[in-house]
């Protein structure tokens, strides 16, 4: 028996079991307020000081393409269907 075929059968069985228990494996309840392209259009020309003055917060959805720990900050590359951006999150301890 081919190992990959066996694994695929196991995965399919687990998916069937979870669905039979009423579990939605791919829920669509997450709501985003803004796309990466919209963030770039609205804020792409602002420098760091100007960005810190933006009073709004947003919910952004996309795939995390890379995460780098740079000491007291984390750099995240986020990609969706409209573009890619790099976000910096500072860690305050």
């Amino acid at each position: 028996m081919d190992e990959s075929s066996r694994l695929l059968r196991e995965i399919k069985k687990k998916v069937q079991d979870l669905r039979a228990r009423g579990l939605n494996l791919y829920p669509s309840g997450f709501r985003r307020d803004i796309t990466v392209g919209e963030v770039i259009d609205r804020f792409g020309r602002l420098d760091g000081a100007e960005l810190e003055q933006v009073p709004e917060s947003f919910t952004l959805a996309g795939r995390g393409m890379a995460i780098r720990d740079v000491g007291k900050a984390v750099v995240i590359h986020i990609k969706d269907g409209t573009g890619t951006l790099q976000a910096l999150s500072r860690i305050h301890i």
Side-chain angles (χ1 to χ4, degrees):
M1 180 189 315
D2 182 59
E3 181 69 12
S4 61
S5 296
R6 184 184 66 77
L7 288 174
L8 283 173
R9 279 196 303 278
E10 286 180 22
I11 290 169
K12 287 179 182 179
K13 172 78 171 100
K14 287 179 183 181
V15 166
Q16 288 173 347
D17 292 345
L18 291 171
R19 286 186 174 148
R21 293 191 317 194
L23 201 76
N24 182 0
L25 299 178
Y26 305 102
S28 60
F30 186 82
R31 302 277 187 243
R32 70 176 178 192
D33 300 328
I34 194 166
T35 65
V36 168
E38 292 169 336
V39 168
I40 293 168
D41 288 344
R42 287 181 64 184
F43 306 109
R45 293 180 236 15
L46 302 180
D47 65 22
E50 292 170 319
L51 285 171
E52 288 184 11
Q53 299 303 315
V54 174
E56 304 163 84
S57 63
F58 305 97
T59 303
L60 180 72
R63 177 172 289 204
M65 302 303 290
I67 299 174
R68 291 190 320 273
D69 182 352
V70 289
K72 291 191 175 185
V74 175
V75 178
I76 306 167
H77 294 254
I78 302 169
K79 180 178 182 178
D80 70 6
T82 64
T84 303
L85 65 80
Q86 177 176 294
L88 173 71
S89 177
R90 291 188 204 129
I91 301 168
H92 297 283
I93 299 175

